[in-house]
Amino acid sequence: MNKKWIINANIVMENKIITNGFLEMSEGKITVIDQMANCPSFALRENVIDCQQKGYIIPGMIDIHIHGAVGHDFMDANHICYSKIAKYLASEGVTAFLATTMTGPMSEIESAVEALAYYYKNQPTAVPEMLGIHLEGPFISQAKKGAQSEAFILKPNVQQFNDLYDKSHHSIRLVTFAPEEDTDFELLHELTNKGVIASIGHSDADYDTAQHAIKAGITHVTHLFNGMSGLHHRDPGVVGAVLLAEDVYVEIIPDNVHFHKDLLPMVYKMTGLNRLLIITDGIRAKGMPDGLYQLGGNEVEVMNNQCIQRKTGSLAGSVLNMNTARKNIGEWLTLSLVEQIRIVSLNQAEHLGMDNRKGSIALGKDADIVWLNEEGEVEKTFCLGNFAFEKD
């Protein structure tokens, strides 16, 4: 049996931290969690990782909004590119993700979802796991398109979505769209009937329309504040509607670029801990030097952690590292490590209906494990018990 042990570790559980503990990983699962006093002795130590009580063992993080990294994009429709993106994500402490598409020619979106469907069913186990597809566009508002390509924006269409859904082999898990463009909420109803998460994003809906959409089945908002009608004292807009709702999960990009960090306490007070989702919205420039990159057929200039579409001046995704995002929100909201893990991992797993095997360290769950060193940096990452990343 392919067993590995992590010993002399501070293990971050869902509601507590076990100090000086150990865990066993076998056949891709967590099979033992206990105190070091009960740890077996090892004749061979080749599969033993000794943390020496330095740093913390946390569950792998889950990025549900990621377009690409290290020069590659999920719209490239190339399995080798997908493997390279996944391998890189392990260096950030990410062990699972939703591959995110964007607005473009329908033929390109079809090619991407077909290639992603193949990768989804044949993906390697020693890299972060693709949990499905996040379809961002093309059913969005032209007024709030952001870096999405205006020429290929479409009105929400049930038949076109179903064609993509079938081509994805039903692996589309989340759809970002503009419900105000959706006649009689036809697409929204189709998404909820299929069990696909319906997200309001790139939307110019007014407050009342957003409220009606939430009542009809919206349970998610894509990158809060960005690509949506803002909070105004005479029209609270999409921002007001989702913050006041009780059951909408809220994506945030904590890079202090997409919104001012001092807004976070307001968001936190309104959503609480259990509805916050940290994302990166990373593009192919993530993990690369500053310079010019392509996103959705447009040129993006990356400089000083900002990604700007040269044609429009719009923000165009990010190069945010997921572990940096965790540290940022921990500092800005004074969150404990247990609280940080909820919003980078457990909330995502619960929202996707996968918390039976992802999102926290517990017996029987997937051995998606990250060792953070004393500086809070990723020292090692395991995906399904396999070495996926080691610092230096």
Side-chain angles (χ1 to χ4, degrees):
M1 295 179 67
N2 182 26
K3 290 187 177 182
K4 294 184 181 70
W5 293 267
I6 299 177
I7 66 173
N8 295 311
N10 301 313
I11 304 171
V12 182
M13 308 286 284
E14 189 171 325
N15 296 305
K16 64 180 181 179
I17 297 178
I18 295 177
T19 57
N20 197 26
F22 81 99
L23 64 79
E24 176 190 272
M25 301 179 283
S26 179
E27 302 302 316
K29 299 292 183 181
I30 299 169
T31 47
V32 179
I33 307 170
D34 207 340
Q35 296 287 340
M36 277 303 295
N38 301 317
C39 186
S41 57
F42 304 102
L44 297 175
R45 299 182 69 87
E46 59 186 27
N47 286 330
V48 179
I49 297 90
D50 188 349
C51 297
Q52 301 178 355
Q53 294 195 57
K54 295 178 179 178
Y56 293 90
I57 297 298
I58 66 168
M61 292 178 267
I62 302 173
D63 194 348
I64 61 171
H65 191 151
I66 168 77
H67 292 276
V70 287
H72 305 290
D73 191 294
F74 289 117
M75 288 292 287
D76 292 344
N78 183 296
H79 309 144
I80 295 174
C81 292
Y82 299 163
S83 294
K84 290 181 178 179
I85 295 170
K87 182 178 180 181
Y88 173 78
L89 293 181
S91 71
E92 300 186 355
V94 171
T95 57
F97 62 92
L98 290 184
T100 307
T101 62
M102 66 182 303
T103 301
M106 185 56 72
S107 60
E108 292 185 8
I109 299 175
E110 289 173 349
S111 295
V113 299
E114 287 175 334
L116 286 166
Y118 179 86
Y119 179 83
Y120 179 62
K121 291 189 175 182
N122 300 279
Q123 58 186 309
T125 57
V127 296
E129 181 180 356
M130 175 187 161
L131 302 178
I133 298 171
H134 173 177
L135 191 74
E136 187 182 14
F139 308 121
I140 60 173
S141 163
Q142 293 198 4
K144 297 295 181 182
K145 65 182 184 299
Q148 306 273 334
S149 183
E150 182 175 354
F152 303 108
I153 292 173
L154 301 174
K155 293 278 287 185
N157 182 290
V158 170
Q159 184 58 55
Q160 285 179 313
F161 166 73
N162 282 334
D163 287 345
L164 290 172
Y165 189 66
D166 289 341
K167 284 181 168 62
S168 79
H169 294 185
H170 301 180
S171 60
I172 294 175
R173 304 295 304 278
L174 191 157
V175 175
T176 294
F177 72 111
E180 75 276 13
E181 301 291 337
D182 184 17
T183 304
D184 297 326
F185 292 156
E186 290 180 356
L187 177 59
L188 175 53
H189 295 317
E190 186 70 11
L191 296 175
T192 56
N193 288 339
K194 281 184 161 61
V196 176
I197 296 168
S199 180
I200 186 169
H202 292 284
S203 167
D204 199 31
D206 60 22
Y207 178 66
D208 289 340
T209 303
Q211 276 196 317
H212 289 316
I214 290 167
K215 290 176 182 176
I218 292 287
T219 60
H220 190 104
V221 60
T222 297
H223 43 51
L224 183 70
F225 297 119
N226 301 110
M228 63 188 62
S229 51
L231 192 64
H232 187 275
H233 59 284
R234 286 192 294 272
D235 180 5
V238 171
V239 172
V242 298
L243 289 179
L244 289 168
E246 294 183 353
D247 54 1
V248 175
Y249 282 81
V250 176
E251 288 183 4
I252 56 174
I253 310 171
D255 59 357
N256 207 24
V257 173
H258 281 79
F259 63 91
H260 197 288
K261 65 183 177 64
D262 288 351
L263 282 174
L264 271 173
M266 179 191 77
V267 175
Y268 181 49
K269 286 178 181 178
M270 297 184 76
T271 65
L273 197 65
N274 293 355
R275 289 201 286 134
L276 280 180
L277 303 167
I278 300 304
I279 63 160
T280 67
D281 198 9
I283 63 172
R284 70 172 75 241
K286 183 205 278 264
M288 302 287 284
D290 285 355
L292 297 178
Y293 296 88
Q294 289 291 315
L295 178 69
N298 293 301
E299 201 166 55
V300 173
E301 184 171 10
V302 178
M303 185 177 295
N304 299 325
N305 294 319
Q306 294 191 43
C307 307
I308 306 295
Q309 190 182 82
R310 298 191 84 188
K311 183 178 178 181
T312 64
S314 172
L315 285 174
S318 87
V319 289
L320 180 64
N321 179 299
M322 191 68 167
N323 192 48
T324 301
R326 176 195 64 79
K327 291 194 290 184
N328 284 349
I329 200 155
E331 177 185 344
W332 299 341
L333 290 178
T334 320
L335 299 180
S336 69
L337 194 49
V338 168
E339 291 171 323
Q340 293 169 34
I341 295 314
R342 172 161 281 281
I343 59 178
V344 296
S345 191
L346 185 55
N347 286 350
Q348 287 81 344
E350 289 179 346
H351 192 28
L352 292 169
M354 304 188 75
D355 52 309
N356 62 323
R357 68 182 186 94
K358 301 283 186 186
S360 63
I361 294 176
L363 290 177
K365 285 197 175 186
D366 290 350
D368 292 346
I369 303 293
V370 175
W371 177 13
L372 299 177
N373 63 25
E374 292 172 297
E375 288 73 44
E377 299 298 330
V378 176
E379 188 72 27
K380 286 183 172 64
T381 301
F382 298 86
C383 296
L384 298 175
N386 300 295
F387 274 114
F389 171 77
E390 184 168 14
K391 195 170 186 288
D392 300 328

